[in-house]
Amino acid sequence: ETGVTQTPRHLVMGMTNKKSLKCEQHLGHNAMYWYKQSAKKPLELMFVYNFKEQTENNSVPSRFSPECPNSSHLFLHLHTLQPEDSALYLCASSQGETAAGGYTFGSGTRLTVV
Amino acid sequence: AQSVTQLGSHVSVSEGALVLLRCNYSSSVPPYLFWYVQYPNQGLQLLLKYTSAATLVKGINGFEAEFKKSETSFHLTKPSAHMSDAAEYFCAVTFSGGSNYKLTFGKGTLLTVNP
């Protein structure tokens, strides 16, 4: 148990489907993050939330829609995705203004778009 | 702006040999530095971190890293590689002060351990 739980672990969806990824942490952290990890590419930061307010959106296409109802939960709503969106989606959390303690990551959701 | 550079996208060692994974950083203020490990289809797990205390930091699984300000480096070492060390390793940096909430990651180094 890493302290950050992501569900589902695996997801296969068609390009016309709508699905959601869920992330939950009970570490008392204030910041939460979505990352995309594609094969042979660096980690891509998608969104940052601090105390449930979005502080960063790295030009992510609108087919990805984040939601952060409170500091413990983070969602990523997916719709009309493309095959190139297939990747490992990682959620992380941290405490404080500078993430000086580092991130705690979830185990990720392996997404395949068919 | 802060950045990290990991030299070598792929490092291959024999079991029992020294592991050395290189990381150099760029930061205009004192950094906090981290090494993470990722096994296939898993999230990233914190190996160790430097937060301005001792310059030699010991982590889990026998790894350690030394912060060298003069060289702007934070290389990861392990005296004797084990097959279970095969994974991808990421160096990351953030800095004291400011409120940017996030780490900057290197591109990762894939470690292969040969029997």
Side-chain angles (χ1 to χ4, degrees):
Chain A
E1 177 55 58
T2 64
V4 177
T5 304
Q6 289 189 244
T7 54
R9 288 295 312 276
H10 301 273
L11 178 63
V12 179
M13 60 185 289
M15 289 190 284
T16 58
N17 291 159
K18 290 185 179 181
K19 296 287 185 183
S20 296
L21 310 185
K22 180 181 177 182
C23 177
E24 185 173 358
Q25 60 93 4
H26 295 289
L27 300 169
H29 290 172
N30 55 281
M32 297 187 77
Y33 312 79
W34 279 118
Y35 278 85
K36 177 183 178 182
Q37 189 177 36
S38 304
K40 303 188 187 304
K41 286 187 176 182
L43 282 167
E44 298 176 50
L45 177 63
M46 301 175 73
F47 302 103
V48 181
Y49 279 82
N50 184 48
F51 289 112
K52 77 177 184 178
E53 298 298 321
Q54 189 179 113
T55 58
E56 190 157 339
N57 174 340
N58 274 336
S59 302
V60 179
S62 60
R63 58 185 183 270
F64 295 92
S65 175
E67 178 190 1
C68 190
N70 54 59
S71 294
S72 299
H73 294 86
L74 184 64
F75 296 89
L76 189 62
H77 304 300
L78 316 171
H79 64 97
T80 59
L81 294 191
Q82 305 298 311
E84 60 266 28
D85 297 322
S86 299
L88 182 67
Y89 288 84
L90 293 167
C91 175
S93 68
S94 70
Q95 178 61 37
E97 291 188 340
T98 62
Y103 291 171
T104 301
F105 281 88
S107 296
T109 295
R110 172 65 64 184
L111 173 67
T112 303
V113 181
V114 297
Chain B
Q2 60 194 33
S3 65
V4 287
T5 302
Q6 291 184 239
L7 298 176
S9 60
H10 188 193
V11 170
S12 183
V13 300
S14 298
E15 192 173 18
L18 171 72
V19 176
L20 171 60
L21 304 182
R22 300 177 187 272
C23 173
N24 287 88
Y25 69 91
S26 172
S27 176
S28 57
V29 295
Y32 298 131
L33 294 156
F34 307 83
W35 275 101
Y36 284 86
V37 61
Q38 185 181 31
Y39 299 100
N41 286 312
Q42 294 291 323
L44 279 67
Q45 178 185 2
L46 182 65
L47 268 180
L48 50 80
K49 61 183 178 184
Y50 167 76
T51 54
S52 76
T55 56
L56 182 62
V57 182
K58 295 187 183 298
I60 62 172
N61 302 337
F63 284 93
E64 63 182 35
E66 187 171 8
F67 172 67
K68 292 187 176 180
K69 184 177 179 180
S70 61
E71 298 178 9
T72 62
S73 68
F74 190 57
H75 302 331
L76 183 70
T77 61
K78 181 174 181 177
S80 176
H82 192 273
M83 297 295 289
S84 61
D85 295 326
E88 190 155 23
Y89 292 80
F90 293 89
C91 183
V93 66
T94 187
F95 59 91
S96 58
S99 57
N100 68 345
Y101 307 110
K102 63 182 183 181
L103 303 184
T104 299
F105 286 88
K107 294 183 177 181
T109 298
L110 182 64
L111 175 66
T112 301
V113 182
N114 303 307

